[in-house]
Amino acid sequence: MAKKDFFLLIILSVFVFYGCTSLKAVIFKTPIDTTTKRINNQLKKTYGFNDIGVFASNKFDGARLNGFEKVNDSTVKVIIRPENTPINNSAYYSFKIWSKEQKSIYIEFDYPEGFKHRYIPKIKKTDTSWEMLPSENLFKKDEEFSIKLNVSKDTSWVSAQEIVTSKDTEKWYKGVIANKPYVHLKSVGKSRLGRNLPVLDIYKGTKKEKPIVVLLTRQHPPEVTGFFAYQEFLKTILQENNLTNDFLNKYRVLAFPILNPDGVDLGHWRHNAGGVDTNRDWSKYRQPEVKQVASYVVKAAKKSKGKIVLGLDFHSTYKDVFYTNKIRKTTVLPNFIESWFEALEVNIPDYKVNEAAGNSNKPVSKGWFLYGHNAVGITYEIGDATPRDRIKQMGRVTAEEMMKILTKTNIN
Ligand SMILES: [Zn+2]
């Protein structure tokens, strides 16, 4: 090989090497194995007992029903299993049920050994909206959980939380961004099973050098209360007023409305179709969803010369809580968390911020923002049973106060 060609090859190799490694691994203290694992697919079918005239089905997106048994003439049992184990206690169920004649029946819930009932059932009929089943219809004895339900020919959906599928999500974000030319809807790629991974790239004027705020949600399928806050948060940013105008002239928002669409549509308790908790994969990106989303954020920042300053990841747990990073003085927004929490307590009536600060030892998104980008990362958790009106209020006020603080902040 001629000397000139040799040098050309070296230069080319370096170029290819850097091209492929633009997404750097972020190292965490406690690594987690996120290699793909097998999941148990639920058999999609309609179950039923002609003698008692009661039928149940999981033939819809977001369903979770692994078996249906008759206990006696007035009692049936639903078998609920996770996609794989080990898995957190997030016993998600969702099925539809109907009967030949109108009557009251008892439904017993069968979870695997070691898993407890978590979610109060939400009920919906064809033409009604979701309602929580009243407490007099719930029966809890030791580890056993059952409900009393009126069934009829008119199908009832019984679900751990309100069902919000990937199609529902698409319909929602297409609605909120209609007639907003400053919102650029793009796809960052596809999930393991080929579902779309959308992103809303939001900015007014040029995107060049604008600091970037990243909004994530639905890594964990049943966590719709966090998603409800996300919806209100995004809607607030997209309203037309002076605050949003100032904010979007100064900042760029990358909003990912559904990170785990396979898990959502398959009615998973927590994992993606690769049987993995995607919120433990923000280190080496072994799962396609995290890899493509992380890669999009990094490339977008690099291309527009914008700094990633804040990442909010919306989830749900037993109660409202903000999981923050202890390290904050060295981040690009050292005072953001204190200012934000203070403003929330002033602007949300009867509200006290519940903060749990930690070191993000495991590869979660909030740690990725901190260790990978020196940005503020927060896991924004809404309680499973937080009243839905309260969630809307929180979503709105948290967005308004974030915009007020950030528009006043100078990023170096
Ligand atoms: Zn979660």
Side-chain angles (χ1 to χ4, degrees):
M1 195 187 295
K3 208 172 176 182
K4 196 183 80 188
D5 290 345
F6 179 74
F7 279 113
L8 196 67
L9 188 73
I10 295 282
I11 290 165
L12 206 66
S13 310
V14 168
F15 184 76
V16 169
F17 181 75
Y18 277 101
C20 292
T21 52
S22 63
L23 188 60
K24 289 194 190 90
V26 175
I27 305 306
F28 287 80
K29 199 173 174 184
T30 314
I32 305 272
D33 177 13
T34 53
T35 49
T36 299
K37 288 159 194 77
R38 215 178 71 85
I39 59 163
N40 303 310
N41 282 309
Q42 50 182 330
L43 185 64
K44 288 279 186 177
K45 66 176 275 189
T46 297
Y47 300 87
F49 302 100
N50 271 313
D51 54 342
I52 55 169
V54 180
F55 305 87
S57 170
N58 58 6
K59 287 162 103 174
F60 59 94
D61 282 349
R64 171 79 11 192
L65 177 69
N66 301 82
F68 189 66
E69 292 171 7
K70 180 181 129 183
V71 177
N72 59 44
D73 286 353
S74 60
T75 309
V76 291
K77 183 189 276 185
V78 290
I79 316 291
I80 308 297
R81 297 289 176 265
E83 56 275 19
N84 63 359
T85 53
I87 197 162
N88 279 40
N89 188 58
S90 179
Y92 175 84
Y93 53 86
S94 191
F95 53 89
K96 47 186 187 179
I97 188 162
W98 65 96
S99 62
K100 281 187 210 159
E101 281 153 28
Q102 190 175 333
K103 60 179 169 181
S104 260
I105 57 162
Y106 290 91
I107 305 174
E108 295 178 358
F109 286 68
D110 183 288
Y111 302 117
E113 182 109 33
F115 292 97
K116 281 185 195 157
H117 176 75
R118 171 166 169 180
Y119 300 103
I120 301 167
K122 317 296 179 296
I123 313 291
K124 187 187 142 31
K125 297 261 188 187
T126 314
D127 297 318
T128 68
S129 48
W130 290 102
E131 271 174 41
M132 200 180 280
L133 195 61
S135 56
E136 63 261 30
N137 289 49
L138 314 177
F139 305 95
K140 221 171 171 182
K141 199 182 137 216
D142 302 321
E143 298 292 281
E144 306 289 310
F145 177 76
S146 59
I147 62 170
K148 188 181 179 187
L149 190 73
N150 290 315
V151 285
S152 68
K153 275 200 178 98
D154 184 8
T155 302
S156 295
W157 278 260
V158 178
S159 192
Q161 291 289 35
E162 298 87 331
I163 301 166
V164 187
T165 64
S166 66
K167 281 203 182 78
D168 298 331
T169 308
E170 184 182 356
K171 198 174 156 197
W172 163 71
Y173 65 70
K174 283 193 169 163
V176 238
I177 68 171
N179 305 317
K180 298 199 184 293
Y182 58 92
V183 183
H184 312 269
L185 171 62
K186 290 174 190 167
S187 172
V188 303
K190 298 230 181 294
S191 66
R192 182 171 298 277
L193 299 181
R195 288 182 179 85
N196 186 34
L197 297 170
V199 60
L200 314 178
D201 191 348
I202 310 163
Y203 53 90
K204 288 190 173 174
T206 174
K207 62 185 168 191
K208 203 166 165 243
E209 290 175 9
K210 277 194 168 75
I212 295 171
V213 173
V214 181
L215 305 176
L216 308 172
T217 191
R218 296 214 82 189
Q219 296 203 70
H220 299 146
E223 299 182 1
V224 297
T225 58
F227 177 69
F228 295 154
Y230 184 98
Q231 286 183 297
E232 210 59 28
F233 194 97
L234 194 71
K235 204 173 107 185
T236 306
I237 291 176
L238 297 179
Q239 266 158 15
E240 307 295 339
N241 56 46
N242 288 340
L243 176 62
T244 57
N245 199 44
D246 289 348
F247 176 69
L248 293 174
N249 271 303
K250 189 166 177 177
Y251 289 86
R252 177 181 182 189
V253 176
L254 294 176
F256 299 86
I258 183 163
L259 259 94
N260 179 9
D262 293 341
V264 165
D265 287 354
L266 295 175
H268 280 185
W269 286 22
R270 189 169 179 91
H271 299 160
N272 69 347
V276 165
D277 181 344
T278 59
N279 204 27
R280 299 291 179 272
D281 193 37
W282 293 83
S283 173
K284 294 192 174 163
Y285 325 104
R286 294 181 177 106
Q287 297 302 314
E289 295 83 6
V290 176
K291 188 176 183 172
Q292 292 172 100
V293 167
S295 168
Y296 187 91
V297 172
V298 169
K299 278 185 192 155
K302 203 174 166 185
K303 219 171 151 186
S304 68
K305 297 190 170 67
K307 216 177 251 178
I308 300 160
V309 294
L310 173 66
L312 300 177
D313 188 0
F314 291 68
H315 288 250
S316 309
T317 186
Y318 298 91
K319 54 182 193 236
D320 296 351
V321 55
F322 290 103
Y323 290 116
T324 56
N325 292 312
K326 276 185 179 166
I327 303 167
R328 54 189 76 171
K329 288 295 161 216
T330 50
T331 63
V332 279
L333 294 172
N335 304 311
F336 175 77
I337 292 175
E338 282 79 0
S339 313
W340 196 40
F341 289 169
E342 217 179 281
L344 299 185
E345 291 192 347
V346 172
N347 290 286
I348 304 174
D350 308 313
Y351 178 71
K352 183 101 188 66
V353 168
N354 179 24
E355 180 190 5
N359 286 325
S360 295
N361 290 337
K362 292 176 184 171
V364 296
S365 69
K366 81 175 168 84
W368 185 80
F369 288 110
L370 175 67
Y371 300 128
H373 304 282
N374 215 21
V376 174
I378 301 174
T379 313
Y380 181 136
E381 302 263 5
I382 294 285
D384 294 333
T386 301
R388 280 28 181 177
D389 286 350
R390 181 70 166 183
I391 300 175
K392 283 190 175 180
Q393 183 185 38
M394 295 231 354
R396 178 175 56 78
V397 179
T398 50
E400 284 168 355
E401 298 309 316
M402 176 203 71
M403 289 190 284
K404 282 184 203 166
I405 294 165
L406 290 185
T407 36
K408 279 187 268 172
T409 305
N410 288 318
I411 311 272
N412 300 313

